[in-house]
Amino acid sequence: MSEAMQDHKVSADPLEMWGQQVLRVQTAALALSDHLVLLGLVAQTAWLGLLVPPDLKELPAQRARRDQRARTARLVRRGIPEPLARQGLKVL
């Protein structure tokens, strides 16, 4: 009986090894595809960053909000209370 079990083990062993190798190849292929996707995203981002001029990246509404926050911060530094500074009052 032990000879039969050993024969069965030997015959199942190559199949098991093949299955393990398939799993390793599949894992490596998934990792490679992940890296290729990331590389594509990085390349597109870099290309877009070179293509679009910096002043076009910021919309006028974004620029206005940024300028308003900077103006409010300047007024607060000059001693104007923040609620008044946020109203956009002109200080003479």
Side-chain angles (χ1 to χ4, degrees):
M1 179 101 174
S2 67
E3 288 179 31
M5 290 181 79
Q6 285 179 343
D7 290 342
H8 181 68
K9 256 187 175 177
V10 171
S11 65
D13 199 34
L15 185 61
E16 184 180 331
M17 288 173 44
W18 181 79
Q20 289 174 354
Q21 184 157 357
V22 166
L23 289 176
R24 285 193 302 266
V25 169
Q26 187 179 25
T27 303
L30 286 173
L32 179 62
S33 67
D34 288 347
H35 285 92
L36 288 174
V37 167
L38 290 175
L39 178 64
L41 288 173
V42 167
Q44 284 181 343
T45 303
W47 175 78
L48 186 63
L50 293 173
L51 184 67
V52 178
D55 56 336
L56 291 180
K57 290 180 185 176
E58 186 177 45
L59 298 174
Q62 291 172 327
R63 186 176 301 128
R65 280 194 299 269
R66 181 180 46 86
D67 292 344
Q68 179 61 33
R69 285 193 302 265
R71 183 175 186 283
T72 301
R74 278 194 310 273
L75 290 174
V76 169
R77 281 194 305 267
R78 291 181 183 173
I80 305 296
E82 190 171 348
L84 290 176
R86 271 194 251 128
Q87 290 178 7
L89 302 175
K90 303 284 184 194
V91 177
L92 301 175

